[in-house]
Amino acid sequence: MNGNEKIFQKYFLPDNLRLAWERMVRSNGKDIKDFFGIEIYASNLDKNLARLSEAILKGEFKPQRPFKYYEPKASKTHRTKSVLSIDDALVYQAIANTVATANYKRLAENNSFVFGSVLHPEVEKGTDLLKEPDADFYFFEYYIPLYNKFINSVNTEIGNTNIRFKLETDITGFFDCIPHSKLLITLNKFGVEPEILDLLKDCLNIYSGTKESVTPGVGIPQGPAASFFYANVFLNDLDYIISQNGYTYYRYMDDIRIYEETEEKLTEALVLIDNFLKGRALSLNTKKTSIEEIGEDREKEKLPFLTGYGEELEEYESKDSSREKQKQVYLTEQSPDNEQEKKYIIKTIEGNELINFCKKEIEEVEKTLFAKFKGIENENFNPRTLINDEDLKKQIVHIAYKWRSSNSILKSVDKPILNEDLIPIWLFCVEHFFWKANHFCWNLNQYGANSLVTLKLNELIPKFKSFEWVRYQILSNMASVQNFNSSELREIFRKSKEEPSGLVRLGYYMILLKHLKSDHQLFASLRQAIKDDKEPYIKNRLSSFVTRKTTNENLEEINYWFGL
């Protein structure tokens, strides 16, 4: 065995790839997973992992250009998201796994002030985790408690009357602007061998850029969990420099907060950060960078916790295993591929207490929404009144989430409270808080098939010509719960043929595949359209899916394949 092969075995034996698989399928972000590849791989997992391992060890693995799409920000600019093919996702995660295991203790030293994408304690076990019967495979600790720890740390400093000034800043285009050369040098300091760095360099070059063009040497893909790990590693030296200079420093990914007694100390810290980043081809976001005196009303200065969690969040552990298991109130997000959040609960209650708890939550949401959105159906209503409400922008997703979560619980134990007077509000939010359209589409899904919702969503689609992700979210809603007749399905097929965005075409295909029977004439036309699709991800992955499966399959399986 030569030296190169021995090094590659450290990262890419079948067990390494199996661990990468377990973490990849559990990662957050259903919009950035190759669900078709996952389904195909899972049909013969061990064989497929062994095949990939052999290809890597023989030097035959070649990274593939990922499927890319644009996700909007509140500023109406875009971030590029990347969907790696299943092989690429496993290679990318396997490298991150090995580096994370070897450097777990080193990175964990910062857990008192670095809160974004914190490694799960089980990461330290490496592939030994595969031997445990009830292993916890998650790569990161659950993000909501971490974010609330970040907020709690910030609020503690604000509450300290000795602290008078605050520095807030973040990094411009952080993921898109990380230079590969600087990242690889940093990873080398973390013990990554040159042979692995060469492979990672090839991968990053292929994964870089937008869907129109690559940007060789710059940028890591937004979406995969491994990218968040590499980003944290990249900033590790900054964490060391700032903390060793004695500053009161907190970081959540590239969101940086520092609190001090004098403005001069914060100016010194800002210069340190600025120089560090410029030395690595990055820069601070000047619009989000400020040094300000903390106001006299310190309570007003404090930041809100994520709704429903706050400081009282606990990990549930039954202290009496013999006691009959009670029903639990989970405030969990709608992500069927991720069960991690179900370990975090607000309350353990049952029966009428559970029902009343959820009803009260919904009552409070309705009261808030009807007060905030009063008059939105009037012709003379100015939507900017709400669009420019900064507090509403911060609260609306959490309000929608609380309503959705409570109704999901009621649906399983009693019956949901689906006030149709809220539909115009959810539709308004889809249109005007479009960068979070998925949340409001999920709420509309609660009502099931609804002709008003379908009509209004169809009217919204042309308004988002520049925002493919929003149109995709709307089409996902339609695929999930709405009904279509034969004429409507034919019109959807025609639209798919004319649509330039691969992501939006995928949304149309979702509707057609879910609602067409395999013996329908239009299904044959759809199969051919997918085979002819100009987007390689859709053509290669979806055509394999259509060949192997028919729409007679269980609808729950189809939901999984599309990440619904």
Side-chain angles (χ1 to χ4, degrees):
M1 182 188 303
N2 61 43
N4 281 9
E5 187 174 351
K6 189 173 182 180
I7 290 170
F8 273 68
Q9 285 186 349
K10 176 182 172 183
Y11 292 80
F12 302 117
L13 286 175
D15 274 359
N16 299 95
L17 296 175
R18 179 58 182 259
L19 183 62
W21 164 271
E22 298 292 350
R23 292 205 168 118
M24 183 270 298
V25 296
R26 287 171 172 79
S27 62
N28 284 320
K30 61 186 179 183
D31 288 345
I32 46 81
K33 288 183 183 177
D34 177 7
F35 277 93
F36 313 114
I38 289 172
E39 191 270 334
I40 292 167
Y41 240 76
S43 65
N44 199 339
L45 183 58
D46 290 339
K47 182 179 179 180
N48 285 317
L49 293 175
R51 172 196 56 75
L52 178 58
S53 175
E54 183 179 4
I56 299 168
L57 296 180
K58 288 183 176 179
E60 296 172 356
F61 168 77
K62 301 296 180 187
Q64 301 174 51
R65 182 77 174 150
F67 175 63
K68 289 179 176 280
Y69 63 89
Y70 295 123
E71 184 179 273
K73 302 178 185 179
S75 62
K76 296 188 178 179
T77 59
H78 284 113
R79 62 171 58 88
T80 301
K81 302 297 282 289
S82 300
V83 183
L84 301 185
S85 73
I86 184 68
D87 285 355
D88 287 273
L90 292 174
V91 169
Y92 196 51
Q93 183 65 48
I95 296 172
N97 284 347
T98 305
V99 180
T101 297
N103 293 277
Y104 176 80
K105 285 187 171 66
R106 177 177 176 179
L107 293 167
E109 290 175 356
N110 297 342
N111 286 357
S112 61
F113 55 87
V114 174
F115 300 103
S117 300
V118 172
L119 291 174
H120 195 288
E122 298 291 271
V123 166
E124 190 175 12
K125 296 178 181 178
T127 55
D128 288 344
L129 198 58
L130 295 168
K131 302 172 186 176
E132 298 185 5
D134 298 312
D136 199 335
F137 287 111
Y138 290 100
F139 194 45
F140 298 125
E141 293 192 48
Y142 186 42
Y143 75 98
I144 286 181
L146 290 172
Y147 182 78
N148 282 335
K149 285 180 182 178
F150 171 66
I151 296 300
N152 187 55
S153 298
V154 166
N155 288 347
T156 298
E157 299 302 332
I158 292 173
N160 180 356
T161 54
N162 292 323
I163 298 295
R164 293 184 54 216
F165 293 90
K166 60 182 180 181
L167 163 63
E168 299 178 2
T169 189
D170 68 15
I171 301 169
T172 299
F174 182 36
F175 279 59
D176 292 332
C177 296
I178 291 176
H180 299 169
S181 60
K182 298 293 185 180
L183 175 60
L184 297 175
I185 289 170
T186 302
L187 287 170
N188 185 244
K189 293 177 182 177
F190 275 72
V192 182
E193 299 84 353
E195 294 83 354
I196 301 300
L197 295 176
D198 286 342
L199 172 60
L200 185 58
K201 179 184 69 174
D202 291 342
C203 291
L204 292 176
N205 277 327
I206 293 294
Y207 304 159
S208 71
T210 65
K211 60 181 182 178
E212 286 84 13
S213 63
V214 298
T215 54
V218 179
I220 63 176
Q222 292 199 54
S227 286
F228 291 89
F229 170 72
Y230 296 130
N232 262 346
V233 168
F234 190 76
L235 293 180
N236 185 256
D237 283 345
L238 175 65
D239 298 331
Y240 179 82
I241 291 168
I242 300 299
S243 64
Q244 288 303 301
N245 274 276
Y247 296 109
T248 307
Y249 165 77
Y250 302 105
R251 179 171 69 80
Y252 192 92
M253 293 313 298
D254 64 329
D255 182 358
I256 295 170
R257 311 290 177 101
I258 304 180
Y259 299 85
E260 287 297 337
E261 298 172 1
T262 68
E263 187 173 358
E264 290 74 20
K265 286 184 178 179
L266 291 182
T267 301
E268 292 169 1
L270 180 59
V271 170
L272 271 177
I273 296 170
D274 190 40
N275 289 343
F276 175 91
L277 294 174
K278 284 177 177 173
R280 288 155 181 79
L282 296 174
S283 60
L284 291 174
N285 186 335
T286 55
K287 290 184 178 179
K288 295 184 178 180
T289 299
S290 64
I291 296 176
E292 296 178 354
E293 188 169 6
I294 297 173
E296 290 185 9
D297 187 350
R298 291 186 175 247
E299 286 303 312
K300 191 175 181 180
E301 288 268 356
K302 291 182 178 180
L303 303 177
F305 291 99
L306 288 182
T307 301
Y309 292 88
E311 296 173 272
E312 297 181 356
L313 181 73
E314 295 179 353
E315 184 166 352
Y316 175 72
E317 292 181 3
S318 176
K319 294 181 180 178
D320 183 0
S321 58
S322 64
R323 186 175 62 185
E324 184 178 351
K325 187 176 180 182
Q326 295 175 306
K327 291 178 179 176
Q328 301 159 355
V329 178
Y330 293 109
L331 293 188
T332 61
E333 193 46 90
Q334 183 170 329
S335 55
D337 60 311
N338 191 333
E339 297 292 312
Q340 188 179 23
E341 63 265 35
K342 290 188 177 179
K343 291 186 176 181
Y344 297 94
I345 66 172
I346 298 302
K347 233 174 176 184
T348 304
I349 54 180
E350 60 183 350
N352 288 333
E353 187 183 1
L354 174 67
I355 293 170
N356 291 335
F357 171 83
C358 294
K359 287 181 176 179
K360 185 178 179 182
E361 292 280 281
I362 293 170
E363 182 182 345
E364 290 177 358
V365 167
E366 288 187 359
K367 183 178 178 182
T368 300
L369 290 176
F370 289 136
K372 283 279 188 183
F373 289 82
K374 187 177 181 179
I376 64 166
E377 293 187 276
N378 295 340
E379 289 184 8
N380 60 351
F381 180 78
N382 183 0
R384 291 193 176 279
T385 304
L386 293 173
I387 298 168
N388 295 330
D389 185 336
E390 293 301 321
D391 288 336
L392 180 60
K393 282 183 183 178
K394 294 175 183 177
Q395 296 171 10
I396 189 63
V397 169
H398 303 311
I399 292 171
Y401 170 65
K402 185 186 291 188
W403 180 89
R404 181 168 66 250
S405 301
S406 297
N407 264 315
S408 295
I409 293 166
L410 285 180
K411 188 176 181 180
S412 64
V413 298
D414 187 43
K415 62 180 181 180
I417 302 173
L418 301 173
N419 188 340
E420 295 201 355
D421 290 339
L422 290 175
I423 289 177
I425 295 176
W426 302 136
L427 289 166
F428 179 96
C429 291
V430 172
E431 180 175 4
H432 296 287
F433 300 109
F434 56 89
W435 58 94
K436 294 292 185 182
N438 53 336
H439 290 268
F440 309 117
C441 284
W442 290 340
N443 281 18
L444 290 168
N445 283 351
Q446 299 274 340
Y447 294 91
N450 184 294
S451 56
L452 172 64
V453 171
T454 300
L455 175 66
K456 294 297 184 182
L457 288 179
N458 268 318
E459 291 175 0
L460 283 180
I461 289 175
K463 294 184 178 182
F464 290 102
K465 183 171 65 173
S466 299
F467 298 102
E468 61 178 346
W469 180 84
V470 179
R471 288 187 285 153
Y472 172 77
Q473 297 301 331
I474 292 172
L475 293 170
S476 295
N477 167 276
M478 293 179 172
S480 181
V481 298
Q482 306 305 332
N483 296 323
F484 301 90
N485 60 38
S486 181
S487 296
E488 289 169 332
L489 290 172
R490 288 191 177 279
E491 182 59 26
I492 288 169
F493 176 76
R494 293 186 186 102
K495 287 180 178 178
S496 73
K497 297 286 288 183
E498 299 169 357
E499 176 56 51
S501 164
L503 185 66
V504 178
R505 286 200 306 279
L506 183 58
Y508 285 127
Y509 292 155
M510 289 164 64
I511 295 174
L512 294 167
L513 283 169
K514 185 161 184 180
H515 293 277
L516 283 173
K517 294 184 180 297
S518 58
D519 58 356
H520 195 289
Q521 176 270 326
L522 189 57
F523 186 84
S525 301
L526 172 64
R527 182 166 52 218
Q528 187 60 49
I530 291 171
K531 287 182 179 179
D532 294 340
D533 198 280
K534 59 186 178 183
E535 171 56 56
Y537 171 75
I538 293 176
K539 180 177 180 178
N540 297 336
R541 296 302 181 185
L542 205 53
S543 60
S544 299
F545 159 74
V546 171
T547 299
R548 298 175 69 246
K549 303 289 180 180
T550 73
T551 51
N552 291 325
E553 294 285 344
N554 185 289
L555 287 183
E556 289 301 315
E557 293 185 57
I558 293 174
N559 283 345
Y560 172 76
W561 292 326
F562 284 114
L564 292 176

